[in-house]
Amino acid sequence: MKFVNALAVPLGVIGALLTYLALSFGMFFIWAVFLATCMGVALGGSKDAFKSLVICGSLGVVLASVASLIILNVPVPLPGAMWPALVVGATTACMALAANLPVFGAIPATVIGYASTFAYLLSANKLSNETFMTLNFANPLVINILSIIVAAGFGMVSLNIAGKLAKPMPA
């Protein structure tokens, strides 16, 4: 069986299961899981790639959370959106600088963590100090990092199953 056809089996089954769990219990974001899983595959699909996904994706969540807290709590009298833009620029520069350490070298995974954090905060109208002051699934430091960890597991299991299914049948 072709690998791409074999991949349809675990992706379909695990994708359905994760969607059910995400929608039923709200412990992770299904969209963040799918984005991060794709990133793990793009990084090479190995255990090391998914380890990098968790580490670098979590760094992105932390940097976006720090940016959010600075924007919310450090009043700077600049016009319009200039202050948030400067804070985002500084924290995204930190992503690139962090990549000088090999453990943080997967910049695209860091960007996925950063972007998914702001996607959640802005689309769910959660950009507030209260969001960060609770240790529950409303806090992006909890739910986004958990989503990335779930994605890493999901990606490794999917690729492992697909690899076994794609092996040629004995003649």
Side-chain angles (χ1 to χ4, degrees), residues 71-85:
I71 291 165
L72 288 167
N73 295 296
V74 179
V76 175
L78 293 173
M82 192 174 290
W83 175 237

Side-chain angles (χ1 to χ4, degrees), residues 56-96:
C56 294
S58 296
L59 174 63
V61 174
V62 169
L63 287 171
S65 297
V66 167
S68 298
L69 289 168
I70 291 170
I71 291 165
L72 288 167
N73 295 296
V74 179
V76 175
L78 293 173
M82 192 174 290
W83 175 237
L86 291 172
V87 172
V88 168
T91 53
T92 55
C94 288
M95 282 188 238

Side-chain angles (χ1 to χ4, degrees), residues 17-33 120 124 126 135-148 150:
L17 174 65
L18 288 174
T19 300
Y20 173 78
L21 293 173
L23 296 176
S24 297
F25 303 104
M27 297 184 318
F28 54 87
F29 294 131
I30 194 61
W31 54 269
V33 169
Y120 164 62
K126 295 282 188 180
L135 192 57
N136 61 29
F137 294 123
N139 187 328
L141 289 163
V142 175
I143 196 160
N144 281 28
I145 291 174
L146 182 59
S147 297
I148 290 167
V150 168

